[in-house]
Amino acid sequence: MKKLLQHLNLLPSKTDIKALIISYIFINFAFLYHSLNFMWGNHDVEFIKTQTHLSSGLFEGRFTQFIPHWLLTNGQILPILNNLLGFLFLALGLWLLAKYWNIEKSTHIYALFITLFATEPYTLSWLYFTFLTISCFLWVLLAILGLFLSELIHKNNHKWLLSTSAILCFYLPLGGYPPIINTFFVCLSAKLLLSYVFENKDLKTLFNIHKYTILNIFIAALLFKMTLRIINPDNVYNLQTTSTSDFPYKLFQTLKISINQFFISLPFMSKPYKLFLATLTTIAFLLTLMTAKNIKSFFIILGLICVTVLSTTLTTLIATAPTQYVTRIDFYGLAFIYILVFTLLISQKTPVLKTVGIIYAIITIFLSTLNDFHAQKIWKQGFDAEFQILEQVNERIENHPQFNSKQKYRFLQIGDISLRPSYYKQKYDMEEPFLLSLPYLAIWQGASLIEYYSPFSFIKQTPIIMPGDITPEVSRFLKKEAHPWPHQNAVYITKDIIFVIYNQNELDNFKKKIQEL
Amino acid sequence: MIKKLRQFSLSNKETKQWFFIFLSLCLCFLPLLFHFIWGNHDWNPIFYTNKLTGGLVEGRFSQFLFLRILLEGQILPILNLLLGFAAYALALVLLYNRYFKFSYTPSTILLLITSATLPYIIEIIYFQFIVLSQLIWPLIITISLLLAKQATINNSHRIYCILLSSALLLLAIGGYPASVNLFVTAFCLYLLKQKDLSIFSKHFITICLPYLIALCIAFLSLCMIYKWLSANELMVDLYNNQPSSPLQIIKKLLPTIKISLMSFLQPLPFFNLHLKLTISFILILFICHELTLKKNIALKINCFILILALLLAIKTSALLSQQSPDNYFEKYDPIAFMLRTDFFAIPCLVMFCFSVLRESKSKLISNISFLLLLLLLWQSILTNYNFSKVHLFGFVAENKLQQRINTRIQEQSSYSPKHIYTLIQAGELPHRPKYYQPTLLEKYGYYTLNVPYTRSWIADEYYNFYEPITFVGSTSPISLTDFTPDMTDFFSHKITTWPHQNALYIGKKFIIIALTPQGRKMLIQQFNQTRKIQP
């Protein structure tokens, strides 16, 4: 095993281990409040109470999504350990990326590189859903391992073995979360840029080295598509791809998005924070362009920079669903640009620029950590506030004269309550569901949540309301008496249905539906 | 003097081992370190300071000694567990390096971490009021073992060593009698480690004598203390403080070996079949390895007898204590499957087995044992985290229910904050099983899973806990003279089960809650019986 790792240049040296430990401790510190306060997103309730199953992701084509959970924790979502494992995979993936990009090897540079990426608020987006944390961080490690192994193929005798391993490394993440394709191409094109500029390799040599990478990614993507055909998932939004006729328009749109993403502020990523990063990105790219020896190399460098930036929005180009400015997608794309900036700065020959790179990393880590802690505070406040409401609703249900704990009810939640935004007072350009706006008491998991802390099991998991359920009493209640929470009439219990109303708009919509019925 | 003292200080390697065991225990139970939650005996101990004499009622005269010395009798969040972990980690380091004298290899730390984090510890961690002392007893017993071992080597201080060893053993078993399991198990393992030792030799008797004397002194002293406490009405005769007579002990030898073997196979909540089988496999591998190493039949028989003794040693507490078959605990929490008593034997046994197997000349055995070590460690980590999660959810959910009941009580027009009530809670609603996915063939799990945090007979402790005023005075039953017409009406016509409005009755003196259908049935039965008796 040791020999194999040594042969593949994957055995960490003392410097690597030191850097990994330092960065791992810092990453865990940055998300400590989240790790210690077990919070879960609005898809997690049943998974936390019971466990995840291997087949849980099949309906949306994510056939490998639960393999890591199943192998590592028997499908259980465990407090703290979930984050500890996720961060471990992320740190290892980034360490491998540092090796892949061939950045200067020293404890502090490696530690800064890993910490810089991992503390960016984009990481937070994978903490919202606990059932995704381990796998979605592991995909980064696998994707970069795939790139790393692919690069070795040209000088290795075991081409088939390496190729197969690399294809597997690309295929597994694609089957778990397809937008990982952004990472493949961002990291690859960044590698080409760095090799061209700082390793003085010409395009032909680079093509000879990296042709295997492209081929492996292509084969993995093909296998992914074939698997989707076999498992035949539901027709869900996140599997639909852009049609050929829409492609030119989408390409133009994507170009715009790939530039705008540097300036659009999001929750916990304020305008000054984004502008600071955008400025440093511009400086780093300009400095890299200035290293060009002639016009030809200038355009090659410019081209490589453009391809790298464009790769960050590859999913937006391919998928029909709006994926622009979504942090969990940008985690696999834009977030890598900010460590590329660091790499470009520290790779410059001038010592001053190296220092600028280090200062940039320190400032960014500091700002990102502040944003992370701010977000964790808001999340916890929102989580507690929403669960307090849930507790009050539960109390109302228990005290309701119609309620019988031995009976099974269907549960109908009208609207939901999202309280995280109430605690966040800063302005932002774009709404971000996972970082801020999504509620914990979401409609689709109301039935599971309502009895989560109750000693009784009184919910039937069949929420469909049939015309026959709208009796004159129910109709009268909904039309005349129903009011959203915290009104007394926000909870209504019939013979076998519990209604909980959170939102006036949704109540109005529901009334319209009833009229149609 | 300084030289002599230096030999007691930890070497760098030992310090390193201690640090990693301590760190892994902290990491394994981080959710419980951060969230201050407690078991169903802890409500009052957390509220008040624990007196030195607090454990006398069940004969545990030294139970609160270390809590008094280290934390002034208070149960303090984080610190309570941290101190306990530190002591337990030290006990394992001393057992490994000083008592068994195993050599240091790169896998030593991993081996010690695996033994320390075995989920036998989870039942110990459930109760806050005893966790500190329970985790200190292994250290006290290890020192007692070291002194007994010293008595076999050092002729000049033999008597002092034996007396000190028995005093420490008495201190430990006086706090928790089942801790004797560690003393006897470690001693049996120590005998197994002696190469070519015949149980019929003089050397064998020389080795055994100090341990046996220490054990006898401690056990007889404990019996005498129990007698004195009982005579002075300081101790109540309970299931866990009745020693067996010598005849009973002889009768129980075979059944104890049987329960010892069964305990290696019976899955329990948070101790699934995989985990049990892994430990059993390690033990079988160890036994086979030991038997094959012995050169002749006589030594093989010797080894076999010692292994039988080891099986008895693991359950020493079961052998030495009296058990009645109709006992409530025999049904729900049988002594054969108590994780809290196994905690004092099995981690030490696992540590010993791994250490021996790892030192094996056969590379195959050494590699298999290393793989088993990794597997066991990971399974233990997952189990410990799962226990923390279920413990946490169960505690939160039961407290939420408690708050809802309190709110309902205070909202009633008949409730007066000026009164001190007698509260009768009929029935209990344990929440933890709701958050636990049982695995194949599991049984029992009394404290680890099934009992509620809010036991009906200590209702006054938790009903008052979060309230600004004390409104529950006691939980004593209703007597004949207490029945009022409205109470009679409640029992005869109204009484329903929680959460119905008529699950609650508030009179001038009594608050009655029918929490479960069984509780309601029990209340009605009691009421009817009382009416029959009433002239």
Side-chain angles (χ1 to χ4, degrees):
Chain A
M1 187 69 181
K2 202 177 166 184
K3 271 184 186 171
L4 177 73
L5 289 176
Q6 247 166 0
H7 179 70
L8 295 173
N9 192 23
L10 280 172
L11 194 73
S13 64
K14 272 192 179 171
T15 311
D16 295 336
I17 292 171
K18 254 192 207 170
L20 268 169
I21 291 173
I22 293 168
S23 48
Y24 186 62
I25 290 172
F26 198 88
I27 299 164
N28 276 295
F29 167 73
F31 300 102
L32 184 68
Y33 195 62
H34 182 272
S35 296
L36 293 177
N37 289 291
F38 192 33
M39 293 181 263
W40 56 87
N42 59 32
H43 283 26
D44 289 327
V45 181
E46 277 307 311
F47 292 142
I48 281 184
K49 205 166 162 184
T50 56
Q51 64 186 109
T52 58
H53 299 283
L54 260 182
S55 56
S56 303
L58 286 186
F59 78 100
E60 50 178 351
R62 296 182 187 169
F63 48 89
T64 58
Q65 191 170 56
F66 292 99
I67 293 177
H69 250 119
W70 184 71
L71 286 176
L72 289 165
T73 64
N74 303 326
Q76 299 173 94
I77 294 172
L78 299 168
I80 302 180
L81 196 66
N82 209 40
N83 281 7
L84 286 179
L85 283 173
F87 292 143
L88 180 69
F89 293 136
L90 183 62
L92 283 171
L94 293 164
W95 160 72
L96 210 55
L97 183 65
K99 282 170 81 78
Y100 180 63
W101 280 356
N102 206 12
I103 70 167
E104 182 194 319
K105 193 168 181 174
S106 72
T107 307
H108 72 279
I109 294 285
Y110 266 41
L112 282 173
F113 181 85
I114 298 168
T115 316
L116 176 63
F117 180 95
T119 52
E120 285 175 42
Y122 294 101
T123 306
L124 273 168
S125 60
W126 288 119
L127 300 184
Y128 177 74
F129 290 122
T130 54
F131 78 103
L132 290 175
T133 307
I134 290 180
S135 54
C136 284
F137 287 142
L138 176 66
W139 301 149
V140 175
L141 171 62
L142 287 182
I144 295 162
L145 183 63
L147 293 170
F148 192 85
L149 294 177
S150 299
E151 195 203 4
L152 297 178
I153 296 172
H154 80 282
K155 54 182 178 187
N156 202 294
N157 294 330
H158 306 288
K159 285 192 169 45
W160 280 105
L161 202 64
L162 278 176
S163 246
T164 314
S165 312
I167 290 166
L168 194 68
C169 285
F170 294 133
Y171 173 72
L172 286 172
L174 276 176
Y177 196 68
I180 189 77
I181 198 157
N182 290 6
T183 306
F184 299 167
F185 286 99
V186 174
C187 293
L188 174 64
S189 42
K191 168 74 187 172
L192 296 175
L193 174 70
L194 292 165
S195 299
Y196 184 79
V197 177
F198 301 109
E199 291 167 26
N200 297 322
K201 284 179 180 158
D202 58 30
L203 280 183
K204 198 181 165 192
T205 319
L206 286 175
F207 177 76
N208 279 332
I209 297 171
H210 295 286
K211 63 186 176 196
Y212 298 102
T213 310
I214 312 249
L215 189 71
N216 290 340
I217 294 174
F218 179 73
I219 295 170
L222 211 65
L223 285 172
F224 166 66
K225 273 286 191 190
M226 279 163 64
T227 317
L228 283 185
R229 285 239 162 161
I230 295 164
I231 59 170
N232 198 17
D234 298 349
N235 191 22
V236 286
Y237 74 98
N238 49 11
L239 284 174
Q240 286 158 4
T241 47
T242 309
S243 62
T244 329
S245 56
D246 290 341
F247 200 79
Y249 173 73
K250 199 71 193 283
L251 182 65
F252 176 72
Q253 285 289 315
T254 309
L255 281 170
K256 228 170 98 180
I257 290 163
S258 59
I259 302 299
N260 282 347
Q261 63 179 345
F262 287 98
F263 306 100
I264 297 280
S265 65
L266 298 162
F268 311 109
M269 281 181 255
S270 61
K271 206 78 178 177
Y273 174 78
K274 290 285 282 204
L275 285 177
F276 168 73
L277 291 174
T279 312
L280 263 296
T281 308
T282 316
I283 292 170
F285 285 159
L286 285 175
L287 285 168
T288 313
L289 281 170
M290 280 160 64
T291 57
K293 288 160 198 156
N294 49 43
I295 290 286
K296 190 187 160 196
S297 75
F298 178 86
F299 280 109
I300 290 172
I301 294 170
L302 186 64
L304 285 171
I305 289 173
C306 290
V307 170
T308 310
V309 173
L310 242 176
S311 302
T312 61
T313 49
L314 199 58
T315 303
T316 311
L317 180 69
I318 298 168
T320 46
T323 57
Q324 63 273 28
Y325 319 122
V326 175
T327 46
R328 52 198 273 182
I329 310 279
D330 287 343
F331 171 83
Y332 291 121
L334 178 63
F336 283 94
I337 297 293
Y338 299 134
I339 48 169
L340 174 65
V341 168
F342 171 68
T343 312
L344 289 173
L345 288 171
I346 58 152
S347 304
Q348 302 290 334
K349 281 174 189 163
T350 332
V352 182
L353 291 176
K354 270 190 186 178
T355 315
V356 170
I358 289 167
I359 292 170
Y360 154 76
I362 292 169
I363 292 174
T364 311
I365 290 169
F366 176 72
L367 294 175
S368 299
T369 309
L370 288 186
N371 289 333
D372 295 336
F373 273 106
H374 187 193
Q376 290 169 78
K377 182 183 96 173
I378 303 295
W379 283 24
K380 176 78 173 113
Q381 285 166 340
F383 186 84
D384 286 349
E386 287 184 40
F387 272 78
Q388 263 182 38
I389 289 177
L390 183 76
E391 181 57 16
Q392 287 162 7
V393 170
N394 227 329
E395 193 168 353
R396 278 261 188 110
I397 291 172
E398 277 192 353
N399 292 349
H400 202 282
Q402 287 281 336
F403 179 69
N404 178 357
S405 62
K406 286 169 206 151
Q407 203 188 306
K408 291 272 181 191
Y409 295 88
R410 281 176 289 163
F411 183 79
L412 191 79
Q413 181 175 320
I414 301 173
D416 39 33
I417 279 189
S418 176
L419 289 179
R420 280 189 296 175
S422 327
Y423 297 95
Y424 189 68
K425 302 295 173 204
Q426 289 176 16
K427 286 179 184 168
Y428 46 85
D429 297 331
M430 291 294 291
E431 192 63 81
E432 217 299 327
F434 306 103
L435 289 190
L436 193 65
S437 58
L438 271 184
Y440 293 102
L441 307 184
I443 292 176
W444 56 84
Q445 69 170 9
S448 306
L449 261 179
I450 201 71
E451 57 173 23
Y452 195 78
Y453 286 118
S454 169
F456 311 110
S457 180
F458 55 91
I459 296 295
K460 258 192 276 184
Q461 297 286 348
T462 45
I464 303 159
I465 300 290
M466 306 299 284
D469 295 320
I470 311 298
T471 58
E473 289 80 39
V474 172
S475 179
R476 195 191 63 237
F477 168 78
L478 289 169
K479 281 178 189 164
K480 293 181 180 168
E481 294 163 20
H483 286 280
W485 184 265
H487 195 276
Q488 272 302 318
N489 288 345
V491 175
Y492 180 66
I493 301 177
T494 71
K495 225 176 177 183
D496 74 329
I497 307 173
I498 296 174
F499 291 89
V500 175
I501 304 147
Y502 283 125
N503 185 302
Q504 186 62 50
N505 284 342
E506 289 294 324
L507 179 63
D508 294 340
N509 289 340
F510 193 74
K511 281 180 192 171
K512 276 180 204 163
K513 270 186 204 167
I514 288 172
Q515 272 169 349
E516 284 165 18
L517 280 171
Chain B
M1 182 68 181
I2 290 169
K3 262 189 183 175
K4 276 208 165 181
L5 281 174
R6 260 187 201 159
Q7 69 177 359
F8 293 112
S9 67
L10 293 183
S11 68
N12 283 347
K13 277 177 186 166
E14 286 169 337
T15 313
K16 201 173 152 190
Q17 289 166 21
W18 173 84
F19 175 73
F20 280 106
I21 301 172
F22 175 68
L23 194 70
S24 0
L25 280 168
C26 291
L27 277 174
C28 265
F29 295 102
L30 204 52
L32 298 183
L33 274 173
F34 182 70
H35 297 275
F36 187 39
I37 55 177
W38 51 86
N40 60 28
H41 287 25
D42 290 326
W43 294 92
N44 265 355
I46 276 179
F47 209 83
Y48 304 105
T49 308
N50 293 284
K51 287 178 189 164
L52 198 59
T53 52
L56 286 187
V57 68
E58 44 182 352
R60 297 186 184 170
F61 55 88
S62 56
Q63 190 171 53
F64 292 111
L65 182 70
F66 286 100
L67 196 69
R68 287 294 320 174
I69 293 171
L70 295 168
L71 300 176
E72 296 174 339
Q74 299 174 89
I75 293 169
L76 299 175
I78 303 179
L79 214 53
N80 203 33
L81 274 176
L82 280 190
L83 288 172
F85 288 156
Y88 183 48
L90 186 59
L92 290 177
V93 170
L94 291 180
L95 267 177
Y96 183 87
N97 296 286
R98 306 277 172 108
Y99 187 65
F100 294 126
K101 284 197 173 289
F102 282 116
S103 56
Y104 181 84
T105 63
S107 61
T108 297
I109 290 175
L110 201 65
L111 186 157
L112 286 169
I113 288 173
T114 309
S115 314
T117 54
L118 281 172
Y120 292 99
I121 198 171
I122 59 174
E123 205 169 41
I124 303 284
I125 279 173
Y126 173 76
F127 289 119
Q128 287 280 358
F129 79 111
I130 49 170
V131 69
L132 180 65
S133 58
Q134 295 284 62
L135 292 172
I136 286 177
W137 300 140
L139 178 62
I140 301 294
I141 288 181
T142 306
I143 299 170
S144 165
L145 283 163
L146 286 169
L147 284 164
K149 188 183 167 189
Q150 190 66 22
T152 61
I153 306 162
N154 194 335
N155 279 326
S156 56
H157 297 110
R158 182 170 283 175
I159 293 170
Y160 294 120
C161 285
I162 293 173
L163 285 176
L164 208 53
S165 169
S166 50
L168 288 175
L169 183 61
L170 177 65
L171 189 71
I173 61 175
Y176 193 67
S179 59
V180 72
N181 293 0
L182 177 60
F183 187 88
V184 186
T185 307
F187 172 56
C188 279
L189 293 169
Y190 177 73
L191 290 177
L192 269 169
K193 198 171 181 277
Q194 308 307 307
K195 272 181 191 165
D196 304 336
L197 179 75
S198 165
I199 56 168
F200 305 107
S201 65
K202 197 184 162 193
H203 181 52
F204 179 79
I205 296 164
T206 320
I207 292 178
C208 291
L209 213 55
Y211 293 92
L212 291 175
I213 295 171
L215 186 65
C216 287
I217 292 175
F219 187 66
L220 291 174
S221 308
L222 185 74
C223 292
M224 279 160 67
I225 291 169
Y226 278 176
K227 273 210 164 175
W228 184 83
L229 288 173
S230 272
N232 289 285
E233 291 177 354
L234 291 167
M235 184 179 101
V236 180
D237 288 347
L238 294 166
Y239 76 102
N240 53 6
N241 54 20
Q242 303 300 306
S244 300
S245 65
L247 195 70
Q248 280 172 327
I249 293 175
I250 294 165
K251 270 187 189 171
K252 276 162 66 181
L253 283 176
L254 279 177
T256 308
I257 291 179
K258 193 183 154 195
I259 63 163
S260 183
L261 288 170
M262 273 163 65
S263 72
F264 280 102
L265 295 171
Q266 174 60 55
L268 305 167
F270 301 106
F271 231 110
N272 62 30
L273 194 61
H274 294 145
L275 207 51
K276 286 264 172 179
L277 289 178
T278 313
I279 293 172
S280 304
F281 187 67
I282 293 158
L283 190 65
I284 292 167
L285 201 65
F286 164 75
I287 293 170
C288 295
H289 178 261
E290 283 298 290
L291 286 172
T292 46
L293 272 187
K294 304 296 171 196
K295 288 165 198 161
N296 55 46
I297 297 280
L299 285 175
K300 279 186 204 288
I301 293 170
N302 251 336
C303 181
F304 185 71
I305 292 169
L306 281 176
I307 285 163
L308 283 182
L310 181 65
L311 288 174
L312 277 174
I314 291 165
K315 298 286 174 187
T316 313
S317 55
L319 187 69
L320 298 181
S321 68
Q322 234 177 57
Q323 300 146 60
S324 49
D326 56 343
N327 191 306
Y328 170 85
F329 286 98
E330 264 311 296
K331 190 177 172 191
Y332 297 105
D333 189 25
I335 200 158
F337 308 113
M338 278 180 183
L339 287 184
R340 57 189 184 279
T341 58
D342 284 344
F343 164 76
F344 290 99
I346 316 271
C348 170
L349 172 69
V350 169
M351 180 182 82
F352 187 88
C353 294
F354 272 129
S355 309
V356 170
L357 292 172
R358 192 206 47 196
E359 285 178 358
S360 167
K361 282 171 191 166
S362 155
K363 241 192 167 177
L364 181 71
I365 289 181
S366 179
N367 287 341
I368 289 175
S369 73
F370 186 73
L371 285 177
L372 283 171
L373 188 74
L374 292 178
L375 182 72
L376 192 61
L377 176 63
W378 190 243
Q379 280 182 316
S380 300
I381 291 172
L382 293 184
T383 310
N384 293 336
Y385 270 99
N386 193 23
F387 170 76
S388 302
K389 186 177 96 170
V390 174
H391 195 18
L392 194 63
F393 279 144
F395 185 77
V396 171
E398 281 188 39
N399 271 282
K400 280 179 189 282
L401 172 69
Q402 195 51 51
Q403 287 310 108
R404 293 200 296 275
I405 298 173
N406 275 15
T407 310
R408 178 90 68 91
I409 291 171
Q410 285 159 11
E411 278 172 2
Q412 303 295 308
S413 56
S414 47
Y415 169 78
S416 165
K418 288 170 192 165
H419 285 177
I420 300 280
Y421 295 91
T422 296
L423 191 141
I424 294 160
Q425 179 191 298
E428 290 169 338
L429 279 171
H431 283 57
R432 278 187 292 174
K434 193 174 170 171
Y435 306 99
Y436 181 72
Q437 292 282 295
T439 56
L440 200 67
L441 302 169
E442 275 182 15
K443 271 184 183 175
Y444 313 116
Y446 189 69
Y447 285 117
T448 50
L449 186 69
N450 294 321
V451 285
Y453 295 89
T454 47
R455 305 251 44 186
S456 55
W457 62 80
I458 49 162
D460 55 319
E461 294 182 19
Y462 54 85
Y463 274 86
N464 291 326
F465 199 83
Y466 288 112
E467 295 307 318
I469 49 155
T470 301
F471 73 102
V472 179
S474 70
T475 52
S476 55
I478 312 164
S479 67
L480 282 171
T481 49
D482 291 321
F483 281 109
T484 56
D486 60 328
M487 198 193 279
T488 310
D489 182 44
F490 172 74
F491 279 120
S492 313
H493 306 108
K494 289 182 181 167
I495 186 167
T496 21
T497 313
W498 180 267
H500 195 276
Q501 289 296 326
N502 286 339
L504 180 66
Y505 164 83
I506 303 179
K508 281 191 176 162
K509 209 175 150 192
F510 282 95
I511 295 176
I512 301 162
I513 304 151
L515 200 59
T516 61
Q518 292 92 329
R520 177 180 170 270
K521 206 174 148 189
M522 195 186 73
L523 275 177
I524 293 171
Q525 269 174 359
Q526 280 175 358
F527 171 69
N528 289 336
Q529 276 170 2
T530 321
R531 279 179 80 185
K532 274 179 198 167
I533 299 162
Q534 206 166 18

